[in-house]
Amino acid sequence: MKIGLLSDYGENSIRLYRICDLDKLKKIQSLKFLGLSLKEIDDILKNPKDELKKRIYYKKQKYIEEMEEIQRIIDKLNIMNDVINSSDHIDLSIFYYI
């Protein structure tokens, strides 16, 4: 599905863009780097200040949640590693509760 972020002017499957589209392309690439979808980018380009502020807040919250989940996994791995290092025999069932 095309959402029309950039309009091309080519024919026969060749895409041509105007010089003035270069600035818009740079903005799109910058926002894409932040992990935003093309739909989100389209919304931001239509209403930059409000949409960008909102999208950055939600992306940041999402990444914080992912970091917290990764930290929980690392903590569990550290506990498992400590158990493994402190015992000659490992009963895998003890890891069910970690």
Side-chain angles (χ1 to χ4, degrees):
M1 176 179 100
K2 280 188 163 186
I3 61 173
L5 285 173
L6 288 173
S7 300
D8 58 46
Y9 302 93
E11 297 177 6
N12 301 327
S13 301
I14 296 174
R15 293 181 178 173
L16 301 173
Y17 299 98
R18 299 175 295 174
I19 295 294
C20 61
D21 291 329
L22 186 58
D23 183 52
K24 190 173 185 181
L25 179 61
K26 287 179 183 178
K27 290 175 186 175
I28 292 168
Q29 288 176 323
S30 295
L31 295 168
K32 191 73 177 152
F33 176 76
L34 295 174
L36 297 167
S37 71
L38 293 178
K39 173 66 174 116
E40 289 172 316
I41 292 170
D42 187 44
D43 292 342
I44 290 168
L45 293 175
K46 289 176 182 171
N47 187 3
K49 185 176 180 181
D50 294 335
E51 283 296 320
L52 185 57
K53 187 176 179 181
K54 180 172 71 173
R55 302 296 175 159
I56 285 176
Y57 173 80
Y58 287 116
K59 279 294 179 184
K60 181 179 173 185
Q61 291 306 114
K62 179 183 169 230
Y63 288 131
I64 287 171
E65 289 171 11
E66 288 178 12
M67 281 182 7
E68 289 170 350
E69 177 61 22
I70 290 169
Q71 187 59 53
R72 281 191 291 274
I73 292 169
I74 290 171
D75 292 344
K76 288 178 183 181
L77 291 170
N78 285 335
I79 291 169
M80 292 171 76
N81 194 47
D82 290 345
V83 169
I84 291 168
N85 288 334
S86 66
S87 179
D88 292 333
H89 174 71
I90 304 300
D91 179 3
L92 294 178
S93 64
I94 64 171
F95 295 127
Y96 298 157
Y97 305 104
I98 294 178

